[in-house]
Amino acid sequence: MEILSSLVAGFAAAASPANLLACLIGVAVGFVIGVLPGLGAPGTIAMILPLMAGTEPATALILMAGVYYGALFGGAVSAILVNTPGVPTSVVTTLDGYPLARQGKAGKALCMACLASLFGGTFSVIGLTLIAPPLATFALRFGPPEIFSLMVLGLATLGWLGEDSMLKTLLMACLGLLISTIGVDVVSGSVRFTFGLPELLDGVPFVVAAVGLFAVGEVLYNAYRPSQGPVISHAPRLREMLLSGREMLSCLPTLLRSSALGFLVGTLPGAGATIAAFMAYAMEKRLARDPQRFGRGALQGVAASESSDNASTGGALVPLFTLGLPGSASTAILLGGLLMFGLEPGPGLMKEHSGFVWTVIASMYIGNLMLAAVNLPLIPLLVRLLRVRYTWLYPFILVLCLVGTYSVRNEPFDLVLLCIFGVAGFLLRVGQFPIAPLVLTLVLGPLMERALRRSLILAMGNPLTFFSRPISLVLLILAVLFVVMGSLHRRRQQDRQQEADTRVSPVSG
Amino acid sequence: MGRLRFHLNAKRTAGACFLALGLVTIFGASRLTYYSETGPGDGFLPLWLGVGITLLALLLLGGRSTREREAQGHAQPGTSPRKPLLLVGLLAAGLFLLPWLGFLLTILALMVALLCLLEGVSLARSLLAAVCTSLVLYLVFTLWLQVPLTVGVFGI
């Protein structure tokens, strides 16, 4: 009852004109930022933080939170329409969102992304409201060995991402991990694989690699194939763009499961929305009755990635509000914001500044609704972009990639990297190498290596530390199960394929 | 048969490239610290990655399963590397000219080249599209988002 009354008071405060306006601005800015590759929510929040110094703390936090989850949906839009993940979590959305767009179902994909974002965000806020303290206590038990084992579990989901050869998937995973080692090693401070280039001291920016591999690589690959007309030849009717009741109902179990998983993973410090999205996708593919639809335009694929990454936003706030531990880059900047306003995050925050905390939580409910209300009417307009002939579309995509990439560090060298990754993405597509595993390991690599080395340092070099800690052991067992089930799944797929080939051509030449 | 040969050549080329990458990685990692008193060093993960890539590349080169099915399933008629090569060439030329032309003029020139030279769109329409694009980029990135785009010798 106390929680309910606090929440009602929070809604009353969040619904003030100033806070509603801040929410709207945050969501709109975040959406634009998410669509434009390169900018990203953390950088945007860091840019606007100093501008918020003179405002009310709650208003500032509401605006920054709006930017955060507005960017998540914005990233989904570019992922679906032009196969360019605007934010890291949108990489998973490209797997099914882009194929849906190519089939003329961009409206449905965008609609699902919007509603899944709303569902996941709302789910996470409910979770934040009800179970933040006990969850925070559980999250405290995650040390470097548990983080490493969680990353291993994340890598184990690679086997479920696509139907490609396991050999090629592993090669791409290793390549991604290798690229992630470029730059200064944060543990020892030594420089690795920079070839004397100072621009590589900070490593390869994720955005540069992702935009190059996905967007530029896709443009080059489309140039390689026979010329194509527009993706859709006529203006789709409204009902063709929106989801039917049956489609929404069929995705409801996916939304529930993925939101729950995303929220739980989001509470773990360092895990992040990207790994939540990949794990939710792999889980849904594993549980689906017809998993072969995934990767070819399954609405459940879009639902899984979008609901889980938005659910992880609320999850990431759990350790921030209750323990003062940021769960991701964006929440680390939010932490800076709290400190700037003289609010010390931790167990005392909810007791001493409960009005502030509940106002922010209430604003997240409002923000999620605002996100859907603002973006759903935009879907018909966004879908119309696909009527444009590709001849006209791809130069704009390339230009957007160039400018967006340059805006990350204002380094001309990043444009050279973009082109290199673009060519690599093209060659990988021609050779039928999957790109998603490379991108996943590029994100997880630094976290994984840091956790591995810290674990072994703390355990004086004893590798049994990963097996002697219960949570770590459970995660590793799950990872092994995932790998074994993934291999069996591929074997069954190959056997079915061979049977189908034998039926089609019983007499081989 | 031609498609099969193309696929096998592509697979061998990929395998050879990854094999070279694996060996170079092992060489590079050998110059780093593998293990120290406090635990794994900066060469620990790269060395194992190099070994992994090398082994996987050898498997890729020596793999014999499902060749024909892969070749038949994934053959793509009508493909040509000419256009992607031209595209990459134009991008490279744009990057080369960036310090002199500045970002906005480079984008303008690149768009005109892509539309007019590569896609056969008329010069007038290409110029119009390029100018509009550059203007929008200036408004959004330079004025609104305050991203400092490179300025060339013409002050733009």
Side-chain angles (χ1 to χ4, degrees), chain A residues 190-472:
Chain A
S190 64
V191 175
R192 297 187 293 192
F193 306 116
T194 59
F195 308 103
L197 295 166
E199 294 90 349
L200 288 178
L201 286 175
D202 285 333
V204 173
F206 169 82
V207 167
V208 174
V211 172
L213 287 166
F214 279 96
V216 180
E218 180 75 17
V219 166
L220 291 173
Y221 189 63
N222 285 327
Y224 173 68
R225 294 190 296 185
S227 61
Q228 306 144 71
V231 177
I232 52 174
S233 53
H234 65 278
R237 285 184 289 233
L238 192 64
R239 68 158 188 262
E240 285 175 340
M241 287 190 277
L242 300 179
L243 297 167
S244 65
R246 195 173 170 184
E247 283 166 335
M248 282 199 279
L249 273 174
S250 70
C251 291
L252 188 57
T254 298
L255 291 172
L256 283 166
R257 286 189 295 254
S258 301
S259 298
L261 179 65
F263 180 69
L264 284 172
V265 173
T267 60
L268 306 173
T274 309
I275 191 170
F278 271 102
M279 287 175 72
Y281 185 88
M283 175 182 71
E284 288 308 311
K285 190 175 174 186
R286 170 70 187 87
L287 294 172
R289 265 184 231 156
D290 43 357
Q292 63 273 13
R293 286 190 308 114
F294 281 71
R296 293 192 176 96
L299 277 172
Q300 285 83 355
V302 176
S305 65
E306 286 303 307
S307 58
S308 66
D309 75 19
N310 272 265
S312 72
T313 59
L317 290 174
V318 169
L320 179 67
F321 280 154
T322 57
L323 302 168
L325 296 172
S328 62
S330 296
T331 49
I333 297 168
L334 285 176
L335 171 66
L338 287 172
L339 293 172
M340 192 174 84
F341 290 112
L343 296 164
E344 190 151 332
L349 183 68
M350 291 189 96
K351 286 192 188 124
E352 291 159 24
H353 300 281
S354 62
F356 163 81
V357 173
W358 288 110
T359 303
V360 173
I361 292 173
S363 75
M364 290 171 72
Y365 283 105
I366 297 172
N368 276 299
L369 283 170
M370 212 174 270
L371 192 70
V374 164
N375 291 310
L376 273 174
L378 285 180
I379 288 175
L381 185 65
L382 293 169
V383 170
R384 280 176 202 275
L385 284 175
L386 295 177
R387 289 190 68 196
V388 177
R389 276 183 60 211
Y390 195 70
T391 301
W392 287 95
L393 205 53
Y394 84 83
F396 290 101
I397 294 171
L398 272 180
V399 161
L400 209 55
C401 291
L402 287 168
V403 180
T405 304
Y406 183 79
S407 64
V408 176
R409 302 193 294 181
N410 301 327
E411 278 278 359
F413 181 75
D414 286 348
L415 299 179
V416 176
L417 272 183
L418 178 76
C419 292
I420 292 172
F421 276 103
V423 171
F426 163 65
L427 292 172
L428 290 172
R429 274 177 177 77
V430 170
Q432 272 125 41
F433 285 86
I435 293 176
L438 192 161
V439 173
L440 173 63
T441 51
L442 192 58
V443 174
L444 296 186
L447 302 168
M448 199 169 154
E449 188 186 9
R450 245 193 327 266
L452 171 67
R453 289 165 72 182
R454 279 185 188 156
S455 303
L456 289 174
I457 289 169
L458 288 169
M460 312 291 251
N462 182 6
L464 293 176
T465 189
F466 299 108
F467 304 100
S468 61
R469 295 165 70 112
I471 297 174
S472 173

Side-chain angles (χ1 to χ4, degrees), chain A residues 56-105:
Chain A
E56 286 291 317
T59 306
L61 262 293
I62 287 167
L63 191 148
M64 288 191 281
V67 169
Y68 186 34
Y69 42 78
L72 289 178
F73 178 67
V77 171
S78 57
I80 289 166
L81 293 184
V82 292
N83 200 34
T84 304
V87 293
T89 55
S90 306
V91 169
V92 189
T93 308
T94 61
L95 298 177
D96 280 281
Y98 187 59
L100 278 166
R102 302 285 302 179
Q103 293 162 25
K105 295 178 186 171

